[in-house]
Amino acid sequence: MSKKFRIAIAGASGYAGAELVRLAAAHPYFDIAAVTSEKSAGQSVASVFPNLTGVVQHTFEALAPEALAERADALFLALPHTKSQEPVALCMKAGKLVVDLSADYRLKNVAAYEQWYQTPHTHPALLHEAVYGLPELHRSAIAKAKLVASPGCYPTAAILQLAPLFAKGLVQLDSIVIDAKSGISGAGRSPALPYHFPEAHESLEPYKIGKHRHIPEIEQELSGIMGTPGAVTIAFTPHLVPMNRGILSTAYCKLKTEIKLPELRALYREFYKGERFIRLYEDIVPNPRYIKGSNFCDIGVYADQRAGWVVTVAAVDNLVKGAAGQAIQAMNLMMGLPEETGLTAPGSYP
Amino acid sequence: MSKKFRIAIAGASGYAGAELVRLAAAHPYFDIAAVTSEKSAGQSVASVFPNLTGVVQHTFEALAPEALAERADALFLALPHTKSQEPVALCMKAGKLVVDLSADYRLKNVAAYEQWYQTPHTHPALLHEAVYGLPELHRSAIAKAKLVASPGCYPTAAILQLAPLFAKGLVQLDSIVIDAKSGISGAGRSPALPYHFPEAHESLEPYKIGKHRHIPEIEQELSGIMGTPGAVTIAFTPHLVPMNRGILSTAYCKLKTEIKLPELRALYREFYKGERFIRLYEDIVPNPRYIKGSNFCDIGVYADQRAGWVVTVAAVDNLVKGAAGQAIQAMNLMMGLPEETGLTAPGSYP
Amino acid sequence: MSKKFRIAIAGASGYAGAELVRLAAAHPYFDIAAVTSEKSAGQSVASVFPNLTGVVQHTFEALAPEALAERADALFLALPHTKSQEPVALCMKAGKLVVDLSADYRLKNVAAYEQWYQTPHTHPALLHEAVYGLPELHRSAIAKAKLVASPGCYPTAAILQLAPLFAKGLVQLDSIVIDAKSGISGAGRSPALPYHFPEAHESLEPYKIGKHRHIPEIEQELSGIMGTPGAVTIAFTPHLVPMNRGILSTAYCKLKTEIKLPELRALYREFYKGERFIRLYEDIVPNPRYIKGSNFCDIGVYADQRAGWVVTVAAVDNLVKGAAGQAIQAMNLMMGLPEETGLTAPGSYP
Amino acid sequence: MSKKFRIAIAGASGYAGAELVRLAAAHPYFDIAAVTSEKSAGQSVASVFPNLTGVVQHTFEALAPEALAERADALFLALPHTKSQEPVALCMKAGKLVVDLSADYRLKNVAAYEQWYQTPHTHPALLHEAVYGLPELHRSAIAKAKLVASPGCYPTAAILQLAPLFAKGLVQLDSIVIDAKSGISGAGRSPALPYHFPEAHESLEPYKIGKHRHIPEIEQELSGIMGTPGAVTIAFTPHLVPMNRGILSTAYCKLKTEIKLPELRALYREFYKGERFIRLYEDIVPNPRYIKGSNFCDIGVYADQRAGWVVTVAAVDNLVKGAAGQAIQAMNLMMGLPEETGLTAPGSYP
């Protein structure tokens, strides 16, 4: 297992890309062969991300998928949604391992993709080859996959916090409300008025109420756990919170039959037994500040027995377990490496 | 109407108290007779709240309710919950106008108070004399009242965002989820670990899930609007958000029958017609940064028609419409002054 | 004095413009005749600044200086530097009162302007007619002026914190260091990478070290106080601090002869005697949070007698005393109104 | 070099302690034998620092220096100033390697210690055995030391940013101004009003002007570089900035003779040649956000040639290079390990 894999990171000048570079640079079995960025081509990585000064010597290059695939054994694509369809196909054709961080290969249903992303899908066949890259749900499929579609940040939290309940078929399907909150890095690195500091600071903004593109992913996976495609419809409201990183997802649902809290928690412990990156809380409530910079997904289950609701809370770092870390976790599996390789650093405090 | 009222503010060294002093100092019909604080007795207001340097010359004194009542025509009590029962009773006995900002006179049901606040109520008779101080719902009763119990910050947002739906009896009563978020000033001015800057910054914390003391207030008022005491039970989760001020409340419910969004919005416009401090948004979503320092409650109604949920969003400044401003709004009514007197300043931006 | 002045605000879709509108709307002797914005022409003010919903009914229009001047008695121009030269000249020609918030008429020395702003000045004659709009230094000249050049935000703090020392000729001229810090709103409302929330949060950035365009203003005014143009040269480093508003300026200098702290403070009290908007602190240190939203300039004088330095600290709200408030303060003087008209609201806390 | 050292961390429930635990847990040659905390004795580390859940299994114990020394080969003491004198002496007596993070053994001059810390020093002899733990200046002495006094956070930045100039004797000694800014974690983990979120947010506070206890450390080391004890006196003003972590130090000085910027920068490159944790910037200005969580000290040299000042800027993470990381860096040297062991992770971005 001492062999190193040559890896390439495309679209590395966004925040998820920067995290991929940071984590890849410290990964014992990765050699970074190339990093690409259209916007920053020709600039050194360190000049764009000064945190990496003295750590990474690379220079961004423009993306040429086929040439890139030749220089790498495995590729991470962190391109904008809809822009990843073709590069993925080219890398697959070259026989490489691919983890795609865009949404382009996450939805199994082509029509759903085309409706939510308002663009045709040019490689529908590949959709069925792609595995949804949530190792806690699809570990063995990922290990065998050539193409993994890495989940969105909100879905990572939302699916993991609800999966044990859906696996047991406990949830009243018309009762699911997911109120999610994200730090501003979730909006990407392109300046725009809503993310301009004086607009986003001392501010708290719900957006795309019931219309966020992460909805179909969450519904697909929760339905999948139940074995009934299309079964699940959720109310989902994301909010922008004035912090840099982190997602907190607060999910509400009713159960078909009353189950006491200790039993619910036992069910979660059982479901996530042995999972390296799931941490279950009882007395403490998950909070993004406990997982910043780490690949953990922290989950807590609480019951509002008076009102008859189960409330679950999940926290992930949107750029690590919600993006770069999870992509590497999947790639480790695809490469036959221990899943946690290069991902064990805890968050710092505070 | 040129006569000035002598007012006193008890418990003025907290954040709500500081806002009362700031607003009262600029109120054209208020003369501040006294401000009290146990903790800061003997110190000048300006030394505790330097923003008021050169604006207010008062010195905090210790609270002596009866003596205080003699020096004032009207009193604002911003004392801790459970500590206001007796001072209110003494001021009432002295025949003064009282707005109490604590929870001590908000709940009509003594048993509910004693259960949620874990303390006996020593003046249950006064509970029925007290009017819940939300002018948009109880304007005429407030105008006739001697004692007003000013609402909590979360309830102000939650009740106002849902009232029009409950007034029409539209809501499925088992479907109500209120996910509320507050700036840290909502936790008061006493230092404690959860509010220590490095703990609360880059942090997002759900707390008292299903157990917050504002729950019975919200349920009481929403049930009251329906005319059916005890009818309403809500799931309620408050969150601490890293900003100084502001509450954002995101409420989810299902309707008994489908109603199109334009009709719902018309219903809100009708319900809040002529209300000076309610602003209804459609294209814009309420955000605490639009109301900081002002007495507005901004409300938006959105529909997730795909999933069958109505989502309402409300924003208030927890220290103004959620505390000091609302208390003055009620007092204005009690004094026969125009309701908006001293409260018309909009928030600044950003 | 009950007559109202028709005022126009040009360039009102930036942050200083928004403050001008907010303050003008509450000013008892102003009628807002028009607000202009190239970027937002045709949009309602409330849609751009939702805090003003229900407060201001105006719609932004494109700037046409001559037509605008006809509709107003007095004009505030909050246009970008170098873009104000011509509009000012046109308004002056129309015989109106003008307060210009740009840098275009601040420097008396045409060559200095052309060097620091890298553009020719097309109306050098008007430069000498313009009065530098710091009422604490130039009150009587402002009262007689038709054209006032309102100071920059950093200079307001820096000049006011040092003026008393320079008025007495106490300062060693080769010892002046001004380390200034600003909230991000000081950078304006146009999104750009350095002000993108995730870049500016948990960040602290010195910029334009020794090269900021506010330097010649500070040097001109401090030299002017001494009566020796060109006498003063300063080291000046501005920093961007992760907060919305406020400037804190920490200035260091050595004195020609040792003066004890109480004597220095007495000198400041004497210099600023009767000033409505200067607050002097001793036990407390000025902090932007005490002046947010207000027109105060808070100043403290401290001595590091061990090391032989005098340290003065000044805080202003960059958008009020550092921009819109100061502009109105000057306009009040030009109109013969009490200087503090419409400017007496203290900041809120916290 | 495969042998592991048993290490103990005393005072581990503060922020520097938490960083020591985090970094020690990932250090390939450290076995954590014990962690102590008076306040949290009996509680698991993970319950106090949830970021370490699943990472560290230890429970805090009360400090018993002699017993602790028996169980460890090397000790990190992160106790409050003045409380470390005795424990250090006991651990030294037991023949262990000690890195003390308090100020108790930093000052060579007993009288200076007693004056600045207002307490007698009970082990003055040990003061002379202690080495000031800045590896970039005292590497070989540290490697031979049994006791290292790890520098304060401000001094780390201030000394490193000025050392090259002092080593060449270039600085006018009466011209040194250090304006330093720290994130709030620098104030420790004990809640108090100035660090209460609503007080510290949207706030910027100079404090202890000319009186901060880090002054004598900086003066001692800069004088030491020149070889003239007592030669250096500085003006030093620390400021609290609303961010969690990071120190930015902006230092101003005049040189005895004019030196062009490229030459100055060459001098810095030469002085810090081969230094693993010093990064020199030219086009970019150091900013705490580039070094968060890492052991780097970023330095930039700028010249304000117009005004005749050299401005240097340094950034460190107050809890890593300014505390825990630097302590481990010194301990690595004392243990004969490569200096950077366990310290190579770069900061994350953003």
Side-chain angles (χ1 to χ4, degrees), chain D residues 69-91:
Chain D
E70 279 184 33
R71 294 154 57 198
D73 305 309
L75 297 100
F76 294 95
L77 306 187
L79 303 169
H81 302 316
T82 78
K83 302 297 179 199
S84 207
Q85 292 182 22
E86 201 56 33
V88 162
L90 291 168
C91 295

Coordinates of all heavy atoms in Angstrom, one line a residue, chain D residues 69-91:
Chain D
A69 N 4.7 14.4 37.3 CA 6.1 14.3 36.7 C 6.5 12.8 36.6 O 7.3 12.4 35.7 CB 7.0 15.1 37.5
E70 N 6.1 12.0 37.6 CA 6.5 10.6 37.6 C 5.9 9.9 36.4 O 6.5 8.9 35.9 CB 6.0 9.9 38.8 CG 6.9 10.2 40.0 CD 6.5 9.4 41.2 OE1 5.9 8.3 41.1 OE2 6.6 9.9 42.4
R71 N 4.8 10.3 35.9 CA 4.1 9.6 34.8 C 4.4 10.1 33.5 O 3.9 9.6 32.5 CB 2.6 9.7 35.0 CG 2.1 9.0 36.3 CD 0.8 9.6 36.8 NE -0.3 9.6 35.7 CZ -1.4 10.3 35.8 NH1 -1.6 11.2 36.8 NH2 -2.3 10.2 34.8
A72 N 5.3 11.1 33.4 CA 5.6 11.7 32.1 C 7.1 11.9 31.9 O 7.8 12.1 32.9 CB 4.8 13.1 32.0
D73 N 7.5 11.9 30.7 CA 8.9 12.3 30.3 C 9.0 13.8 30.1 O 10.1 14.3 30.3 CB 9.3 11.6 29.0 CG 9.1 10.1 29.1 OD1 9.6 9.5 30.1 OD2 8.4 9.5 28.2
A74 N 7.9 14.4 29.7 CA 8.0 15.8 29.4 C 6.7 16.4 29.7 O 5.6 15.8 29.6 CB 8.3 15.9 27.9
L75 N 6.7 17.7 30.2 CA 5.5 18.3 30.6 C 5.3 19.7 29.9 O 6.2 20.5 29.8 CB 5.5 18.5 32.1 CG 5.5 17.2 32.9 CD1 6.9 16.9 33.4 CD2 4.5 17.2 34.0
F76 N 4.1 19.9 29.5 CA 3.7 21.3 29.1 C 2.8 21.9 30.2 O 1.8 21.3 30.6 CB 2.8 21.2 27.8 CG 3.6 20.7 26.6 CD1 3.5 19.3 26.3 CD2 4.3 21.5 25.8 CE1 4.2 18.9 25.2 CE2 5.0 21.1 24.7 CZ 4.9 19.7 24.4
L77 N 3.2 23.0 30.7 CA 2.4 23.7 31.7 C 1.7 24.9 31.1 O 2.4 25.8 30.7 CB 3.3 24.1 32.9 CG 4.1 22.9 33.5 CD1 4.8 23.5 34.8 CD2 3.2 21.7 33.9
A78 N 0.4 24.9 31.1 CA -0.4 26.0 30.5 C -1.2 26.6 31.7 O -2.4 26.8 31.5 CB -1.2 25.5 29.4
L79 N -0.5 26.9 32.7 CA -1.2 27.4 33.9 C -1.2 29.0 33.9 O -0.5 29.6 33.1 CB -0.4 27.0 35.2 CG -0.3 25.4 35.3 CD1 0.7 25.1 36.4 CD2 -1.6 24.8 35.5
P80 N -2.1 29.6 34.7 CA -2.1 31.0 34.7 C -0.8 31.6 35.2 O -0.1 31.0 36.0 CB -3.2 31.3 35.8 CG -4.0 30.1 35.9 CD -3.1 29.0 35.6
H81 N -0.5 32.8 34.7 CA 0.7 33.5 35.2 C 0.7 33.6 36.7 O -0.3 33.7 37.3 CB 0.6 35.0 34.6 CG 0.6 35.1 33.2 ND1 1.3 34.3 32.3 CD2 -0.2 35.8 32.3 CE1 1.1 34.5 31.1 NE2 0.1 35.5 31.0
T82 N 1.9 33.4 37.2 CA 2.2 33.4 38.7 C 1.8 32.1 39.3 O 2.3 31.8 40.4 CB 1.4 34.5 39.5 OG1 0.1 34.2 39.7 CG2 1.5 35.9 38.8
K83 N 1.1 31.2 38.7 CA 0.7 29.9 39.2 C 1.7 28.8 38.8 O 1.5 27.6 39.1 CB -0.7 29.5 38.9 CG -1.8 30.5 39.3 CD -1.9 30.7 40.8 CE -2.9 31.7 41.2 NZ -2.7 32.2 42.5
S84 N 2.6 29.2 37.9 CA 3.4 28.1 37.3 C 4.8 28.0 38.0 O 5.5 27.0 37.8 CB 3.6 28.5 35.8 OG 3.9 27.3 35.1
Q85 N 5.1 29.0 38.8 CA 6.5 29.0 39.4 C 6.8 27.7 40.2 O 7.8 27.1 39.9 CB 6.6 30.2 40.5 CG 6.5 31.6 39.8 CD 6.7 32.6 40.9 OE1 7.2 32.4 42.0 NE2 6.2 33.8 40.6
E86 N 5.9 27.3 41.0 CA 6.1 26.1 41.9 C 6.1 24.8 41.0 O 7.0 24.0 41.1 CB 5.1 26.1 43.0 CG 5.6 25.3 44.2 CD 6.9 25.7 44.7 OE1 7.3 26.9 44.7 OE2 7.7 24.8 45.2
P87 N 5.0 24.6 40.3 CA 5.0 23.4 39.5 C 6.2 23.2 38.6 O 6.7 22.1 38.4 CB 3.7 23.5 38.7 CG 2.8 24.4 39.5 CD 3.8 25.4 40.2
V88 N 6.6 24.3 38.0 CA 7.8 24.2 37.1 C 9.0 23.7 38.0 O 9.7 22.7 37.6 CB 8.1 25.5 36.5 CG1 9.6 25.5 36.0 CG2 7.2 25.8 35.3
A89 N 9.2 24.3 39.1 CA 10.3 23.9 40.0 C 10.2 22.4 40.3 O 11.2 21.7 40.3 CB 10.3 24.8 41.2
L90 N 9.0 21.9 40.7 CA 8.9 20.5 41.1 C 9.2 19.6 39.9 O 9.8 18.5 40.0 CB 7.4 20.3 41.6 CG 7.2 21.0 42.9 CD1 5.7 20.9 43.3 CD2 8.0 20.3 44.1
C91 N 8.7 19.9 38.7 CA 9.0 19.1 37.5 C 10.4 19.1 37.2 O 11.0 18.1 36.8 CB 8.1 19.6 36.3 SG 6.4 19.4 36.6

